[in-house]
Amino acid sequence: MSIPDHEAPQLDLFSSEFKRNAYSLYAQLREQEPVYRFMLPNGQTAWLITRYEDAQAALKDSRFIKNPHTLLSQEQMDKWTFPMLERDLLIRNMVASDPPDHTRLRNLVQKAFTPKMIEELRGRIQEIADTLLDEIQDKGNMNVMDDFAFPLPIIVICEMLGIPAEDRDSFRDWSNAIVRAVHLPEKIQEALPQIRSFIKYMGQLIEERRNDPDEDLVSSLIQAETEGEQLTENELYSMIFLLIVAGHETTVNLIGNGVFALLQHPEQWEKLQSHPELISSAVEEILRFYGPVELASSRWAGEDVPFHEQLIRKGDMIAVALASANRDEAQFIHPDRFDITRKNNRHLAFGTGIHHCLGAPLARLEGQIALLTLLRRMPKLRLSTDPGTLQWVPAYVMRGLVELPVEF
C-alpha cells in the first residue's frame, strides 16, 4: 500500500487493509509528507499529522479546537457526526469541548480517577481477572478478546457507574456501533438503532438514580448537576456515554494488543515471566508499539494555521496519528522493535495537553493486572492461528483485533 499522489486523495483509514499496512504507510508519510491532505469517506478533506514533534505540537495548540459548531454549517456538521438529536446527547462531553466548558466538565469527574482512587480498585480488578480465567481455565483455549479483554474493563467501569451486571453485554454492541460509525455517513445511519437504544437506556438509568441515588459515579454526576455545577441534561447524557465507551474500549484493546505483541515476541514474553517487575515498562511499550488509539479524537482549525509548510484553513479537520508518532524514528531508537525494557518511553498513546486521557491511570492498572494474571496462570499461552490471518477492527479511531484465539 503506497501513498496516493493526486490532489486530496481518499485515504481509507477505516479499512482492514489500512490497519494491516498502517505502520509502513506512516513511515512513508513521515519521510515524504508529514502533514498530509486527504479526503475522508464523507467527502470532507482533512490533514493527517504523522511526526511525533508535530503531533505533540498540534495536540497542545489552542488554535485547533474540539467543538466545531461555530465553524461549520449544519450540513457540514451532519457529514462529520451523528444527526442533531443524537449529537446533542453524545458529544457534549469534555473530549468534544474546549475551555471553559472542558475545564468545568473535566473537574466534575476527575476526582473519581485520581491515582489514590484508582489504586483502591486494585483488589477488585484482580478478583475480576481471576474469576474470568477461572471460567475458561479448564478449556485449554479461548478468544482473548471475548473471554478476557472485553469483560474485564466493562465490569470495572459498570461497577464504577452503578450499572447492573445483566446490562453489560449490551454495551459492546452499542459501543462498537458508535466507534465504527465516526465520520462514515452510511455507518452512522446503520448505527442509529443502537445509538437510540443506548440513549434510551441512559435516560432510564438517570431517572432511577435521580429517584434513588447510590454511591456511584452516575449519582455523583446527577448530584453535581443539582448543586450548581451547571451540568446540563445533554451534558449529563454525554458524560455517561463518554465514561462507558472510553472507560472500556481503549482498555479492551490495550489488553488484546498487549497479549498479541507479547506472543509475537516470545523472548519478551519469557523476559516478563522471569522479571514481572518489568510490567510497568512492558505496558508502556505496548501502548507505544500497538497503542489502542490509532488517531486522536478530531480537531478543527479555529483560524488559518501555518503548520509545517502547509496552510491549514479555518474549518479544516486535522487527524493526529498517535500510532505514527509513537513509531517516529526521530523520537525513538529502533521504533519498530518491541522492547519491554525501553527507557524514556515518552509515547503519546494517551495524548498530551489539556485533553490527556483522564482514565490513563485506570487503563494502565487494568492492563498490568490482566497481563500479569495471564503470565502467572497461563505461562504456556500461545497463538492458535497464523498471526497473518488476524483481522484488525476497521474503525477510524481505535486499533484493536476482532479476535485473538489462543491455547494454553
Side-chain angles (χ1 to χ4, degrees):
M1 189 173 184
S2 60
I3 304 166
D5 58 5
H6 52 285
E7 181 73 7
Q10 181 164 324
L11 186 63
D12 193 354
L13 305 180
F14 302 78
S15 69
S16 296
E17 181 188 4
F18 172 80
K19 293 292 184 182
R20 282 195 302 273
N21 297 285
Y23 291 107
S24 61
L25 180 57
Y26 287 143
Q28 292 180 58
L29 286 169
R30 288 194 302 272
E31 180 181 358
Q32 300 171 20
E33 201 164 354
V35 180
Y36 179 68
R37 183 169 173 262
F38 69 102
M39 183 179 292
L40 285 162
N42 62 10
Q44 303 295 300
T45 57
W47 298 88
L48 186 66
I49 295 174
T50 54
R51 288 182 181 170
Y52 182 97
E53 186 176 344
D54 294 337
Q56 191 175 48
L59 294 171
K60 293 180 177 180
D61 195 327
S62 61
R63 295 173 297 176
F64 295 127
I65 64 175
K66 301 301 292 290
N67 185 352
H69 78 276
T70 59
L71 302 172
L72 306 181
S73 67
Q74 183 64 54
E75 181 181 1
Q76 288 174 312
M77 286 291 290
D78 287 343
K79 287 184 178 180
W80 284 119
T81 185
F82 310 107
M84 176 67 79
L85 173 62
E86 289 76 22
R87 181 163 68 240
D88 282 348
L89 293 176
L90 296 183
I91 65 170
R92 300 290 185 186
N93 57 59
M94 58 194 175
V95 168
S97 64
D98 303 291
D101 282 342
H102 171 268
T103 308
R104 173 176 57 85
L105 294 170
R106 191 175 176 104
N107 286 342
L108 284 169
V109 294
Q110 65 181 1
K111 61 185 177 183
F113 291 91
T114 63
K116 180 177 183 295
M117 293 290 287
I118 298 306
E119 183 59 32
E120 289 175 357
L121 295 172
R122 178 180 292 275
R124 177 58 183 143
I125 296 170
Q126 183 64 65
E127 182 181 357
I128 293 167
D130 282 316
T131 300
L132 290 170
L133 295 186
D134 285 344
E135 294 174 0
I136 50 89
Q137 186 83 54
D138 295 335
K139 290 174 59 178
N141 63 81
M142 68 170 167
N143 173 4
V144 171
M145 305 311 296
D146 287 346
D147 295 327
F148 192 59
F150 167 72
L152 191 154
I154 197 66
I155 292 171
V156 173
I157 196 63
C158 283
E159 289 185 354
M160 291 177 71
L161 289 163
I163 292 169
E166 60 269 21
D167 296 334
R168 291 170 190 153
D169 285 344
S170 299
F171 291 113
R172 187 169 205 183
D173 293 335
W174 294 336
S175 179
N176 284 346
I178 293 167
V179 167
R180 295 188 189 199
V182 175
H183 302 332
L184 284 173
E186 72 279 7
K187 293 292 184 183
I188 288 174
Q189 292 303 313
E190 290 177 15
L192 283 179
Q194 290 99 322
I195 293 169
R196 287 167 181 161
S197 294
F198 196 176
I199 290 170
K200 181 180 178 181
Y201 180 90
M202 286 193 291
Q204 294 169 342
L205 179 65
I206 290 167
E207 186 64 24
E208 288 173 7
R209 290 298 181 272
R210 277 208 172 101
N211 295 329
D212 186 18
D214 205 341
E215 294 182 0
D216 56 51
L217 199 45
V218 171
S219 298
S220 296
L221 289 172
I222 293 169
Q223 290 161 6
E225 178 200 12
T226 60
E227 291 170 3
E229 292 292 336
Q230 300 178 332
L231 189 66
T232 68
E233 185 77 5
N234 286 356
E235 287 171 345
L236 181 57
Y237 273 82
S238 193
M239 289 291 282
I240 296 170
F241 159 73
L242 173 66
L243 291 168
I244 292 171
V245 175
H248 86 275
E249 193 76 41
T250 53
T251 310
V252 170
N253 295 329
L254 167 58
I255 295 169
N257 295 355
V259 173
F260 183 45
L262 287 164
L263 294 182
Q264 276 188 307
H265 302 84
E267 77 287 353
Q268 299 295 307
W269 173 269
E270 291 169 8
K271 185 179 292 185
L272 188 55
Q273 280 185 314
S274 301
H275 300 280
E277 69 275 9
L278 292 173
I279 187 60
S280 179
S281 64
V283 166
E284 297 310 306
E285 180 67 345
I286 291 162
L287 287 163
R288 185 197 69 82
F289 190 80
Y290 274 153
V293 181
E294 183 100 18
L295 301 169
S297 54
S298 302
R299 288 160 169 79
W300 284 261
E303 59 187 77
D304 288 354
V305 181
F307 196 89
H308 207 292
E309 301 179 358
Q310 299 282 9
L311 180 61
I312 301 178
R313 297 283 187 183
K314 180 178 180 179
D316 284 358
M317 193 195 94
I318 67 164
V320 178
L322 303 178
S324 176
N326 287 336
R327 297 281 190 104
D328 189 342
E329 40 288 287
Q331 175 67 23
F332 301 97
I333 299 171
H334 303 303
D336 294 320
R337 180 183 298 172
F338 180 67
D339 178 7
I340 65 170
T341 66
R342 185 178 294 273
K343 307 298 183 185
N344 300 317
N345 192 350
R346 298 179 180 178
H347 61 74
L348 297 177
F350 291 119
T352 189
I354 65 169
H355 288 282
H356 182 269
C357 177
L358 187 67
L362 178 59
R364 285 183 164 109
L365 181 61
E366 290 176 318
Q368 291 171 14
I369 290 173
L371 292 172
L372 283 181
T373 306
L374 282 171
L375 283 162
R376 172 171 52 83
R377 296 190 50 170
M378 298 174 175
K380 296 183 179 180
L381 193 72
R382 59 195 179 277
L383 288 172
S384 58
T385 189
D386 179 352
T389 65
L390 295 174
Q391 294 292 312
W392 296 99
V393 176
Y396 173 72
V397 173
M398 300 293 179
R399 170 166 285 273
L401 291 162
V402 176
E403 294 183 332
L404 183 56
V406 296
E407 299 172 340
F408 44 87

